[in-house]
Amino acid sequence: MKMKFRRILASTVALGVGLAAMAQEEAFKRAGRLPDVEYIYMSKDILSKVGGSLPVSGMDEVASQLTSMEVLKTSSRESAVKAFDILESSREGMELLTHMSENDGTVDIYGVRNSDKLSELMVLVMNDSILSAVMMKGNIDPETIKGISPESGKD
């Protein structure tokens, strides 16, 4: 009986994790359909081909650790607010790793830890009129993320 309970519990947990991952991907896609929103999805295959040509210094090493990346950017305040609300479900189960605030906006970085690596990393940048969001999935070394040059990717 104990063994049967463990199997049921393991199946339930696995299903829940799978549904949460689908909900995150679905949230980015739904937000990408809003007016004044640009959305890009990149698979591992594409990331391996474009990693060295990404416009952010140090991002090529991170790209090699990813299984997928989604990028979303709004161009109006209305779309930013709507997209932010949709992406709220993407943050469920994620730990807030960093919060930075300046006069004109905020940067929040969320992650899902998998021992000493991150299996998911989401960056939300919001100011008065726009929202930029990036969701990365893979086996991400936090030390590699620290190597990304902030000067090269201000956008």
Side-chain angles (χ1 to χ4, degrees), residues 102-126:
E102 288 190 11
N103 297 337
D104 60 346
T106 62
V107 176
D108 290 325
I109 302 174
Y110 296 86
V112 175
R113 293 184 191 273
N114 185 7
S115 70
D116 62 336
K117 306 276 182 160
L118 296 167
S119 59
E120 297 178 29
L121 185 69
M122 181 166 60
V123 180
L124 292 174
V125 180
M126 182 129 180

Side-chain angles (χ1 to χ4, degrees), residues 3-114:
M3 193 62 131
K4 188 175 184 179
F5 176 75
R6 287 183 186 167
R7 285 185 190 154
I8 292 170
L9 180 61
S11 298
T12 304
V13 169
L15 180 61
V17 169
L19 291 175
M22 284 176 24
Q24 289 169 346
E25 287 179 11
E26 194 59 39
F28 268 73
K29 288 177 186 173
R30 279 186 298 142
R33 291 187 206 111
L34 293 170
D36 302 322
V37 174
E38 295 175 37
Y39 169 75
I40 300 170
Y41 170 84
M42 289 178 270
S43 68
K44 181 177 183 131
D45 221 23
I46 297 298
L47 287 166
S48 68
K49 291 178 173 89
V50 300
S53 62
L54 291 171
V56 179
S57 176
M59 194 60 196
D60 50 339
E61 189 175 346
V62 174
S64 70
Q65 300 172 7
L66 301 179
T67 56
S68 69
M69 183 163 77
E70 294 177 277
V71 181
L72 185 133
K73 184 176 180 182
T74 66
S75 58
S76 72
R77 178 162 176 70
E78 183 179 331
S79 63
V81 170
K82 287 179 182 178
F84 186 83
D85 289 342
I86 291 171
L87 294 179
E88 187 168 359
S89 66
S90 296
R91 297 187 303 268
E92 289 178 20
M94 298 183 96
E95 172 186 356
L96 178 63
L97 302 174
T98 304
H99 171 79
M100 295 173 273
S101 182
E102 288 190 11
N103 297 337
D104 60 346
T106 62
V107 176
D108 290 325
I109 302 174
Y110 296 86
V112 175
R113 293 184 191 273
N114 185 7

Side-chain angles (χ1 to χ4, degrees), residues 122-136:
M122 181 166 60
V123 180
L124 292 174
V125 180
M126 182 129 180
N127 68 25
D128 288 337
S129 60
I130 65 162
L131 166 74
S132 296
V134 178
M135 171 67 86
M136 295 177 267

